[in-house]
Amino acid sequence: MTNPSIAARIAASADHAIEKTCARCGAPILTAWAGRTAAVHVTADADPIDLAAEIQARVEGRLTWRLITTALGVRRIVWRDPLTVPHTAHPVLRDHRCPPRPIQEVLL
């Protein structure tokens, strides 16, 4: 029988996408370790984007990712190369960025 803390650590380090809610803004997000050798921890918006939104995300300096679903139903987030992979092959996600918080005005 495995230790529950070890099982939780293994699940947290796996490369499959985990649905969460952003602790800061409350938006739905997906998190995963993208890559196998030198993995990058990805936090992406859960909603797929279209080509125009992907271009806007790139202009803003945000990375985009592909959401791949395996034959067993496991969802993985992988690097998206916009020059070689067609946009319609897999859903495209963008890095999550919390909306700006309102700035309190100076009291007079």
Side-chain angles (χ1 to χ4, degrees), residues 64-99:
T64 56
W65 307 92
R66 289 184 295 150
L67 182 63
I68 296 177
T69 305
T70 65
L72 298 175
V74 176
R75 297 185 309 168
R76 295 181 53 228
I77 295 176
V78 297
W79 171 254
R80 164 135 170 84
D81 183 5
L83 299 177
T84 59
V85 180
H87 188 84
T88 58
H90 299 282
V92 176
L93 307 174
R94 65 179 160 211
D95 276 343
H96 176 68
R97 185 179 292 168
C98 293

Side-chain angles (χ1 to χ4, degrees), residues 16-33:
H16 59 274
I18 300 170
E19 293 181 19
K20 292 184 178 181
T21 303
C22 179
R24 183 170 175 234
C25 68
I29 57 173
L30 294 173
T31 62
W33 287 96

Side-chain angles (χ1 to χ4, degrees), residues 56-63 95 97:
Q56 180 65 32
R58 291 289 184 151
V59 168
E60 294 172 355
R62 298 162 84 176
L63 297 176
D95 276 343
R97 185 179 292 168

